[in-house]
Amino acid sequence: MIRVLVTGSTGFVGCRLLKTLEKSEFEILVVSRLPHPDHETIVCDLGKEQVPESALETVTTVFHLAGYAHDLHDPSQAEHLYQTVNVCATVQLAELASQQGVKHFVFVSSVKAGGSAKLGCCMTEEDQGSPEGVYGRTKREAELRILEVGRQSGMSVSIVRSSLVYGPGVKGNMRMMLSGIEKGWFPPLPEIGNRRSMIHVDDLVRALLLVAIDERAKGEIFIATDGQPYSSREIYEAMCHVLCKPVPQWHVPKLFFDILCMVHPKVRYKIKKLFGDECFSSKKLQSLGFKAEKSLMNMQD
């Protein structure tokens, strides 16, 4: 019986990972602030406590999804929390896993750890820049430190940098946009030719399971996308289709959004995210045999 430990099991991706693991003959242990109704739970708040040493004694594989990722315009107010959860808790868990003989440690990071996207090209794992923002910086620091834990201990550490995740139950800005289109207040976006990489939550789960068993993934970082970059307009139209709403044949001019950018820094930040060019390549992950099975049209499936 393979015993796996999952952190972040109540999150968007974590819930889908658990459902997939439940279909196989895995013995599942979760780390959570509250007891899980269906699985053995190590009750622990990673922002305040350390995982007990005995928690990983018989664990074979760790899937570490827990992290602090709030989309804040000024996250400096929560700098300590980012450092504590994204770095300290991750490193402590990896060190404990190596000490207890865990074979595989899979860490869910973010493309933001690779630095700012480059206009006009799809970034790879080799295009490592300086991460912008406390979220990207703490994810990158955690990556470097747990890779070192793996090198020193021999434990297989694999890192998956996820692009923007979509799928049923999506949260954050994607949920707000979807809700806005459904209710009729989100404006039809113009086609400006930008490219944004994304991945369906179920394909991301498949990627995590793949790197957990493929020996070629040891000590490596992989970017996960569905292989199809989308423009903001294409994302808007896909959301209209999944909501069974007609796609407007008109759009709000980009100039309107440029003017809005001058209103307030927070508005400028949101619009920059909406129209930004963030393209990434998942060819390295595909070299392991990964192929996305879903597209943006499966957002609600």
Side-chain angles (χ1 to χ4, degrees), residues 80-141:
H80 175 71
L81 189 55
Y82 277 99
Q83 190 70 28
T84 300
V85 177
N86 292 356
V87 181
C88 298
T90 300
V91 175
Q92 187 263 336
L93 183 62
E95 291 177 338
L96 180 59
S98 67
Q99 294 164 8
Q100 297 296 332
V102 171
K103 294 182 179 180
H104 303 281
F105 189 97
V106 179
F107 175 49
V108 179
S109 185
S110 165
V111 290
K112 293 184 181 298
S116 299
K118 297 180 180 179
L119 185 64
C121 72
C122 287
M123 292 180 65
T124 71
E125 296 83 357
E126 300 299 319
D127 299 318
Q128 180 64 51
S130 299
E132 287 188 4
V134 63
Y135 177 65
R137 291 198 306 271
T138 51
K139 281 293 188 178
R140 180 55 177 163
E141 182 180 350

Side-chain angles (χ1 to χ4, degrees), residues 58-301:
T58 58
V59 169
T60 304
T61 302
V62 171
F63 292 97
H64 183 44
L65 283 71
Y68 193 70
H70 287 273
D71 181 18
L72 303 176
H73 172 58
D74 182 15
S76 60
Q77 298 175 357
E79 180 98 28
H80 175 71
L81 189 55
Y82 277 99
Q83 190 70 28
T84 300
V85 177
N86 292 356
V87 181
C88 298
T90 300
V91 175
Q92 187 263 336
L93 183 62
E95 291 177 338
L96 180 59
S98 67
Q99 294 164 8
Q100 297 296 332
V102 171
K103 294 182 179 180
H104 303 281
F105 189 97
V106 179
F107 175 49
V108 179
S109 185
S110 165
V111 290
K112 293 184 181 298
S116 299
K118 297 180 180 179
L119 185 64
C121 72
C122 287
M123 292 180 65
T124 71
E125 296 83 357
E126 300 299 319
D127 299 318
Q128 180 64 51
S130 299
E132 287 188 4
V134 63
Y135 177 65
R137 291 198 306 271
T138 51
K139 281 293 188 178
R140 180 55 177 163
E141 182 180 350
E143 288 181 354
L144 293 173
R145 292 181 63 179
I146 66 171
L147 285 172
E148 184 60 28
V149 170
R151 281 191 288 269
Q152 293 186 5
S153 66
M155 179 177 68
S156 177
V157 173
S158 303
I159 296 170
V160 175
R161 287 180 176 171
S162 174
S163 54
L164 185 62
V165 186
Y166 60 89
V170 67
K171 300 177 182 179
N173 292 331
M174 289 283 288
R175 166 51 58 187
M176 183 173 65
M177 183 175 176
L178 192 66
S179 176
I181 293 173
E182 185 175 26
K183 296 176 181 178
W185 59 260
F186 197 93
L189 301 179
E191 179 58 78
I192 64 169
N194 66 320
R195 297 186 300 170
R196 301 185 66 87
S197 293
M198 306 173 70
I199 188 168
H200 191 281
V201 61
D202 289 341
D203 282 325
L204 178 55
V205 166
R206 291 177 51 248
L208 299 180
L209 295 174
L210 174 62
V211 301
I213 61 173
D214 196 313
E215 290 301 320
R216 294 173 294 174
K218 181 177 181 179
E220 298 290 341
I221 297 175
F222 298 90
I223 292 174
T225 79
D226 65 9
Q228 175 62 52
Y230 307 90
S231 69
S232 297
R233 175 68 185 192
E234 288 172 332
I235 295 172
Y236 174 85
E237 292 182 358
M239 288 185 173
C240 288
H241 286 304
V242 298
L243 292 170
C244 298
K245 294 179 71 71
V247 178
Q249 299 304 303
W250 60 281
H251 65 267
V252 175
K254 180 62 164 54
L255 178 61
F256 173 78
F257 294 98
D258 293 338
I259 294 173
L260 281 181
C261 285
M262 297 184 286
V263 174
H264 192 277
K266 188 172 184 179
V267 176
R268 182 166 60 249
Y269 171 73
K270 290 290 186 181
I271 291 177
K272 182 180 178 181
K273 286 184 66 67
L274 182 62
F275 290 107
D277 197 282
E278 297 184 358
C279 187
F280 300 89
S281 170
S282 55
K283 287 185 178 180
K284 183 177 178 180
L285 183 62
Q286 292 168 5
S287 71
L288 299 185
F290 174 80
K291 184 178 180 180
E293 296 180 351
K294 297 188 176 183
S295 72
L296 195 56
M297 299 305 293
N298 303 113
M299 182 174 292
Q300 300 286 60
D301 299 332

